[in-house]
Amino acid sequence: MNIRAVAGNARAVPLGLGRRGLLPNFYDVVIFIFIAAAFVALAHGVREMEAPLAKLDLAPVTLDPAQLPEYALRTTVRMFAAILCSLLFTFVVATLAAKSRKAELVIIPALDILQSVPVLGFLTFTVAFFMRVFPGSELGAECAAIFAIFTSQAWNMAFSFYQSLRTIPADLDEVSRHFRQSWWLRFWRLEVPFAAPGLIWNTMMSMSGGWFFVVASEAITVGDVTVKLPGIGSWLALAIERKDVRAVGLAVAAMGIVILAYDQLVFRPIVAWADKFRFEQTAARDRPKSWVYDLVRRTRLVRVIFGAVSSIAATLALVRLRVSARRRPPISRQGSRAADALWLAVVLAATAYALWFVVAYVRTELGIADVLTAGGLGLLTLTRVVVLIAVASAIWVPIGVWIGLRPWAAQRVQPVAQFLAAFPANVLFPIAVAGIVSWRLDPNIWLSPLMVLGTQWYILFNVIAGASAFPTDLREASTIYRLRSAQWWRQVILPGIFPYYVTGALTASGGSWNASIVAEVANWGDIKLKAAGLGAYIADATEAGDYPRVVLGIGVMSVFVVVVNRLLWRPLYRFAERRCRLD
Amino acid sequence: MDAATATAALVEIDHLSHVYRKGGASDVPVLDDVNLTLKDNEIVALLGRSGCGKSTLLRIVAGLMPATSGGVAIEGQRVTAPAAQVAMVFQSFALFPWLTVLENVEIGLEAQGIALDERRQRALAAIDLIGLDGYESAYPKELSGGMRQRVGLARALVVHPKVLLMDEPFSALDVLTAETLRTDLLDLWCEGRMPIRSILMVTHNIEEAVLMCDRILVFSSNPGRILAEIKVDLPQPRNRLEPNFRAMVDDIYARMTARPSGKPGREGLFPGTGIAMVLPRVSPNLLAGLMEVLAAEPYNGHADLPPIAASLHLEVDDLFPIAETLQLLRFAEVEHGDIRMTDAGKRFARADLDDRKKLFAQHLVTYVPLAGHIKRVLDERAGHHAPASRFRDELEDSMPEESADRTLRAVTSWARYAEVFAYDEDSGVFSLENPA
């Protein structure tokens, strides 16, 4: 994908930041309690069933290179299954939020918080839950893995779709109503196309994050049960167990090939095709290109197939679902006061119950001391995230600016940066861990960089996008007035790329919190390295099957992420929008 | 009985009023008791300035929004939802950028569930009629503005509406393109080649209305009501330079600048009274510029609005706010399509920059209630500081958020020019001190 397209897309509002208000509102608090209650209920339910988790009788994973292509394929299939689920979720839930005010009040804060929850923590519950649903079958473990990936992907996609639906241009909305399109036709002709660019960008971002989770979710230990689904993640786990450096290298190579292939074969064609959905009335400057897409357009057979598919789609879009726009009164988002009051009462009652449920559960298992411990470890992890993002920024901002201002360099580096962002860093962990072990380094310090190993690239490619979008006339002006280096950085380029930087750093920091769960504890054969932090706390609790501590750890981490978002990123983002916009 | 059937009403608007509701605090009237009958075979213009509610009226007729009271009937059927007998052409063209020209034209037929073959055939016929042959597979972003509006027209005609509604269809186009499109549309209309019976169009361009329409309904602003109904019986094709044409344009200018009867000089220029007056954002440079032009030869302080608009390439919507702001500030008088400078205005035009600022400051504080109010508050406060939000809240009690914002920005920009008070964007605070 080319730089300008990225530049345009990178400016999409990150989840939740475009909204007003820094302080949590009533619904944020309510939703937080609900989510906590859901965790507790799940943990509680799993524990109640005394039976041990059913053991799986899977074909054992081997380190035979001949098996690797199949493992890679299975990993990829899981990935796509999850992305389909996420799309379905997006279409249903985001549409509901955009059309119903009552649903919106609940769904939007829920998405906002769920995307801040460290989804790796979910794994514990989901594995246990799905293995109960499908006892003894591989399907349960597969579902758990797919669900884990889903939880890392769905929220920002849904949010992007929701935002698009809420910002449909008034005139197109009028045309749609004027010609009395049925809601079904309107969905496919107006809403989905309008939302497509943002949704595709977010899907790509989700995919990038998803590789990380697919690797983490294939080989998982909960209590005394270890599940190893055939895939690159399990291959890697086995390689670590056996201290097999060659196998780790093969996994890295396989992962690289898979990501390259999916980028070239799937996403680039989609981006090139979706270019026509970009909502602008001016002719495009340079359009995203894809050789696969060009090939498809030139090949007769493929075109015939695509033509048939699209005509079926067109016929489907024509299905006259009887709840047509004609029957409904003109769209109105106003509700009656009485209904609102009733809704509020229901929400309040349910919240009170959920709160009681959470407190009751936590109090029987854990004391204040545990909360304080988790909080203290959270501060340690927070320190790591802050320091690492600062270090990554200090390194990548100057480099990104240098590259972005030189189109020839940007053209070459940008795809690499995006590739690196998509590459699941946990595949590289064993190499780093082997290094730490052999040089006897302090894990408290040297495990930390693993947290930003995969996420720092978001900073790089956003800064590159920002610098390449920086207007030429402003650059020329600063050259003519011979701005000195310090002044140039302070008054010209840093404000110029600031909105992009905030987007990148926000993504990077969110990803780092998540990564801490796998980065603060690392194994190499029988050697176990551990850094003190909240991530390690959650990882340990997961391994021990200690549900209350997992709930506590996730809860504390969510609070940290939400608070940092509200107090740091949201004000920064609004400042950037207000002061540093160049368009 | 005979007369009734001969001129059957196609669209009947009956005592229609519309109120903009703002969170229950205060209601802003948009349209007030509008009555209108659209008959067969005529083009009617709703002429008025931006914000007079004429576009709202068109949307109510189209069934896109409900009226607060009164109603619209098309062929005797009351309009409660988007009506099948009408089709609309939009100012912004409102084309789907991801659909080709052909698909855009087909969109209304597709919504009706018409089969592909018939759809295609009818769409191609409409494309042919409107002169878009060869562009069927182009995307809107590849077309010029004029071509895009032709797509908009074809899309409207293809559903065979009885009434064509046009919302400022030419105002987003350049002068030349707009004229070509007007002429083409009139040709089609006069030759009876369009499958429609009447056209109802909204415009703020006086000449356009006189050029195209059989009847012109002049709207007043705040709230919008029909000020006058003018029958245009000049034969088609009309010539802009003909004396009758000019006379009619002058006459409409005069009506649009007439003072609302029963109100003293400056009241009623802008909606609202006192500090709650909704002000337009007019740059001080434009005010000074117009005064300079007026004071110089050949006008010598007194001019007809139509020629001055033409010579400055300003549309009604651009010129009127400037002229009326000058009137509010007592630098000029506007009446009967004329603008006449006051003594203060002439003094301003002769003065140098410093004296201009002093004079402007004086008039601003005296004649613009909101400016005087902010100045008084700042004078009274010990620190001579006041947050803008305080005044914004005050304004929002009596006008929509958007108008409040515009009004406050207008006053801020005038006050900055006159150096009456300062505003710090970062902190959102008004103060008396000017930055050193």
Side-chain angles (χ1 to χ4, degrees):
Chain A
M1 114 173 282
N2 76 15
I3 304 155
R4 300 295 278 285
V6 172
N9 284 327
R11 304 296 334 285
V13 186
L15 179 51
L17 288 192
R19 298 198 297 129
R20 288 175 161 207
L22 301 176
L23 294 173
N25 69 15
F26 165 71
Y27 277 95
D28 290 335
V29 176
V30 167
I31 293 303
F32 199 86
I33 293 171
F34 272 125
I35 291 172
F39 278 129
V40 171
L42 209 55
H44 192 63
V46 169
R47 271 261 290 255
E48 284 295 286
M49 300 182 217
E50 287 296 319
L53 291 174
K55 294 265 195 272
L56 279 186
D57 192 19
L58 293 171
V61 176
T62 64
L63 290 183
D64 175 9
Q67 295 287 326
L68 195 53
E70 195 206 317
Y71 290 164
L73 190 66
R74 294 192 63 160
T75 300
T76 312
V77 169
R78 258 169 229 133
M79 191 72 182
F80 279 98
I83 212 85
L84 282 181
C85 293
S86 301
L87 270 178
L88 208 64
F89 173 86
T90 296
F91 284 153
V92 173
V93 171
T95 309
L96 201 64
K99 306 267 156 141
S100 152
R101 208 165 54 93
K102 289 189 180 56
E104 178 185 27
L105 284 175
V106 175
I107 291 171
I108 296 312
L111 292 179
D112 197 11
I113 290 174
L114 279 171
Q115 61 104 34
S116 311
V117 170
V119 287
L120 267 184
F122 280 135
L123 269 179
T124 325
F125 308 116
T126 50
V127 169
F129 174 77
F130 281 106
M131 303 223 346
R132 303 263 185 227
V133 177
F134 305 98
S137 99
E138 198 178 332
L139 193 61
E142 288 284 1
C143 285
I146 290 169
F147 187 77
I149 309 163
F150 165 85
T151 56
S152 74
Q153 293 175 331
W155 325 123
N156 63 324
M157 288 165 63
F159 206 88
S160 145
F161 195 65
Y162 161 81
Q163 277 184 330
S164 299
L165 290 189
R166 292 303 307 274
T167 52
I168 282 192
D171 55 351
L172 291 189
D173 166 63
E174 282 183 337
V175 171
S176 164
R177 292 195 287 131
H178 178 62
F179 287 115
R180 289 162 296 139
Q181 287 184 331
S182 62
W183 69 264
W184 178 248
L185 192 59
R186 178 189 164 94
F187 187 72
W188 291 112
R189 275 280 182 257
L190 173 61
E191 291 170 345
V192 172
F194 179 71
L199 184 59
I200 289 173
W201 172 254
N202 274 284
T203 309
M204 286 176 68
M205 284 285 134
S206 287
M207 281 293 256
S208 298
W211 294 114
F212 190 94
F213 292 97
V214 78
V215 170
S217 65
E218 280 172 357
I220 177 141
T221 305
V222 180
D224 53 348
V225 174
T226 300
V227 180
K228 275 198 179 135
L229 289 168
I232 293 185
S234 300
W235 165 289
L236 197 66
L238 193 63
I240 292 171
E241 219 169 88
R242 300 209 182 133
K243 293 191 181 186
D244 188 338
V245 178
R246 192 189 63 106
V248 171
L250 279 175
V252 171
M255 203 67 239
I257 291 167
V258 166
I259 290 177
L260 265 183
Y262 112 88
D263 179 58
Q264 291 292 324
L265 299 178
V266 181
F267 265 114
R268 264 174 199 250
I270 290 181
V271 168
W273 166 76
D275 187 55
K276 67 174 177 179
F277 298 121
R278 273 185 313 123
F279 190 76
E280 51 181 44
Q281 295 286 356
T282 48
R285 317 103 341 188
D286 32 26
R287 310 180 49 188
K289 288 187 187 70
S290 156
W291 59 270
V292 177
Y293 182 61
D294 291 342
L295 202 68
V296 167
R297 288 203 303 177
R298 271 190 228 121
T299 322
R300 172 168 293 204
L301 177 69
V302 182
R303 234 182 29 216
V304 168
I305 295 169
F306 269 74
V309 170
S310 72
S311 83
I312 291 170
T315 318
L316 272 182
L318 259 186
V319 171
R320 303 263 290 163
L321 292 173
R322 272 293 113 196
V323 204
S324 68
R326 188 200 308 237
R327 301 282 167 84
R328 287 180 301 163
I331 296 162
S332 144
R333 294 174 51 85
Q334 307 267 323
S336 74
R337 293 250 166 110
D340 280 0
L342 187 68
W343 175 245
L344 195 67
V346 170
V347 169
L348 274 179
T351 310
Y353 177 74
L355 188 63
W356 173 82
F357 184 63
V358 172
V359 170
Y361 179 79
V362 173
R363 266 184 48 190
T364 56
E365 305 276 342
L366 303 166
I368 282 290
D370 292 287
V371 178
L372 289 180
T373 311
L377 291 172
L379 283 178
L380 271 180
T381 304
L382 174 67
T383 314
R384 280 204 186 89
V385 172
V386 169
V387 170
L388 290 168
I389 295 293
V391 171
S393 302
I395 295 171
W396 293 119
V397 168
I399 294 177
V401 167
W402 191 91
I403 294 171
L405 293 181
R406 289 159 183 79
W408 55 269
Q411 213 95 44
R412 287 173 180 77
V413 176
Q414 190 69 310
V416 178
Q418 288 194 332
F419 171 79
L420 289 173
F423 196 89
N426 37 355
V427 174
L428 298 171
F429 286 1
I431 299 172
V433 175
I436 295 174
V437 171
S438 64
W439 287 308
R440 300 173 193 288
L441 300 168
D442 179 0
N444 263 318
I445 295 170
W446 293 100
L447 275 181
S448 312
L450 298 184
M451 287 164 59
V452 285
L453 197 60
T455 53
Q456 56 187 323
W457 313 112
Y458 291 106
I459 297 179
L460 177 63
F461 79 71
N462 274 290
V463 169
I464 293 179
S468 32
F470 193 75
T472 320
D473 53 353
L474 290 184
R475 280 178 67 190
E476 287 170 349
S478 54
T479 312
I480 286 172
Y481 296 116
R482 282 183 232 113
L483 263 54
R484 300 255 183 117
S485 176
Q487 192 192 4
W488 183 78
W489 281 99
R490 191 163 38 84
Q491 293 189 324
V492 181
I493 198 70
L494 286 185
I497 59 163
F498 193 66
Y500 295 84
Y501 169 74
V502 171
T503 307
L506 164 79
T507 319
S509 105
S512 300
W513 276 103
N514 242 320
S516 73
I517 298 179
V518 284
E520 285 180 349
V521 181
N523 295 312
W524 185 240
D526 43 10
I527 303 167
K528 187 170 180 186
L529 296 179
K530 203 170 129 188
L534 192 53
Y537 180 85
I538 295 175
D540 279 350
T542 303
E543 206 168 315
D546 183 352
Y547 298 120
R549 283 199 169 69
V550 178
V551 170
L552 180 66
I554 294 174
V556 171
M557 194 178 273
S558 308
V559 169
F560 268 101
V561 177
V562 170
V563 167
V564 170
N565 278 353
R566 291 282 156 93
L567 294 186
L568 180 68
W569 297 117
R570 202 174 277 194
L572 277 182
Y573 188 79
R574 292 165 88 198
F575 174 80
E577 280 297 289
R578 214 174 55 239
R579 207 32 54 77
C580 305
R581 276 190 81 127
L582 284 166
D583 43 354
Chain B
M1 187 68 198
D2 255 342
T5 40
T7 55
L10 209 48
V11 178
E12 184 95 56
I13 300 174
D14 184 33
H15 295 289
L16 187 146
S17 297
H18 191 69
V19 175
Y20 172 82
R21 286 230 166 73
K22 187 226 149 200
S26 64
D27 294 344
V28 184
V30 180
L31 289 166
D32 182 37
D33 194 34
V34 175
N35 291 288
L36 158 69
T37 307
L38 185 68
K39 293 185 282 273
D40 248 347
N41 204 27
E42 64 173 351
I43 306 182
V44 173
L46 307 175
L47 177 68
R49 311 190 13 206
S50 61
C52 74
K54 55 196 194 300
S55 288
T56 306
L57 181 60
L58 204 68
R59 276 163 177 73
I60 294 173
V61 172
L64 287 171
M65 56 201 296
T68 311
S69 72
V72 178
I74 300 179
E75 293 189 307
Q77 271 177 294
R78 213 178 144 79
V79 175
T80 53
Q85 301 98 320
V86 300
M88 184 136 144
V89 173
F90 294 80
Q91 179 179 10
S92 59
F93 320 133
L95 302 177
F96 292 81
W98 44 83
L99 300 182
T100 62
V101 167
L102 186 63
E103 289 166 333
N104 262 297
V105 173
E106 281 181 12
I107 197 131
L109 299 174
E110 188 189 36
Q112 290 175 15
I114 290 172
L116 184 68
D117 292 341
E118 189 191 341
R119 227 156 73 194
R120 194 121 302 174
Q121 193 193 336
R122 277 170 68 176
L124 288 174
I127 285 174
D128 183 40
L129 179 72
I130 223 75
L132 277 167
D133 277 329
Y135 288 92
E136 291 87 351
S137 58
Y139 284 98
K141 64 184 76 162
E142 299 172 83
L143 303 180
S144 66
M147 291 314 253
R148 281 181 212 169
Q149 193 55 297
R150 280 174 199 268
V151 180
L153 261 171
R155 176 175 70 183
L157 294 178
V158 79
V159 295
H160 295 175
K162 292 185 172 131
V163 183
L164 183 64
L165 305 175
M166 301 205 289
D167 183 17
E168 309 233 4
F170 311 112
S171 66
L173 305 174
D174 62 82
V175 179
L176 221 65
T177 311
E179 194 64 11
T180 316
L181 203 52
R182 278 186 206 115
T183 319
D184 286 0
L185 188 69
L186 276 177
D187 285 346
L188 288 175
W189 171 255
C190 293
E191 293 160 16
R193 292 169 61 198
M194 290 192 290
I196 50 173
R197 281 161 60 186
S198 286
I199 298 178
L200 184 62
M201 68 184 279
V202 158
T203 178
H204 64 248
N205 185 320
I206 297 173
E207 294 205 2
E208 179 177 288
V210 177
L211 188 77
M212 297 184 66
C213 298
D214 302 306
R215 260 195 307 153
I216 299 172
L217 301 169
V218 183
F219 270 69
S220 69
S221 303
N222 323 297
R225 52 169 86 95
I226 297 179
L227 207 62
E229 180 178 333
I230 298 163
K231 224 173 152 52
V232 188
D233 34 24
L234 306 171
Q236 287 285 7
R238 292 167 190 165
N239 180 349
R240 286 172 189 263
L241 301 175
E242 210 192 311
N244 284 341
F245 191 102
R246 301 301 337 160
M248 195 159 265
V249 171
D250 281 354
D251 174 49
I252 297 175
Y253 257 102
R255 287 172 193 264
M256 286 176 79
T257 52
R259 279 181 195 153
S261 53
K263 288 195 179 172
R266 276 106 199 155
E267 288 294 320
L269 262 181
F270 300 110
T273 51
I275 69 156
M277 198 185 284
V278 179
L279 301 171
R281 278 197 78 178
V282 177
S283 129
N285 286 320
L286 278 176
L287 296 173
L290 184 60
M291 279 197 272
E292 276 167 27
V293 171
L294 279 176
E297 295 288 342
Y299 304 115
N300 294 319
H302 176 213
D304 240 7
L305 283 175
I308 213 163
S311 74
L312 296 178
H313 300 287
L314 289 174
E315 291 244 27
V316 175
D317 266 11
D318 308 321
L319 182 63
F320 278 13
I322 310 174
E324 284 168 351
T325 306
L326 287 181
Q327 178 162 3
L328 176 72
L329 290 165
R330 307 293 198 279
F331 286 132
E333 295 274 354
V334 181
E335 204 173 10
H336 302 307
D338 289 3
I339 181 164
R340 185 190 301 277
M341 292 178 90
T342 60
D343 289 341
K346 289 176 184 158
R347 260 208 318 283
F348 182 95
R350 283 195 303 269
D352 65 10
L353 186 61
D354 274 348
D355 290 337
R356 277 185 180 187
K357 287 193 170 204
K358 279 189 198 118
L359 189 61
F360 196 89
Q362 214 182 335
H363 280 238
L364 181 64
V365 174
T366 318
Y367 299 120
V368 179
L370 180 60
H373 175 60
I374 296 177
K375 177 79 161 60
R376 260 192 309 284
V377 170
L378 292 176
D379 282 339
E380 280 161 15
R381 291 204 171 180
H384 303 306
H385 286 272
S389 55
R390 174 190 187 282
F391 302 106
R392 181 163 293 151
D393 290 345
E394 242 175 299
L395 292 180
E396 282 179 10
D397 285 342
S398 49
M399 60 178 84
E401 219 172 288
E402 198 191 330
S403 310
D405 186 63
R406 184 155 31 91
T407 300
L408 206 57
R409 283 182 191 281
V411 167
T412 305
S413 118
W414 299 338
R416 277 174 166 164
Y417 170 77
E419 296 175 43
V420 175
F421 47 81
Y423 175 65
D424 183 52
E425 174 80 29
D426 282 325
S427 53
V429 167
F430 286 114
S431 67
L432 282 186
E433 71 222 23
N434 278 308

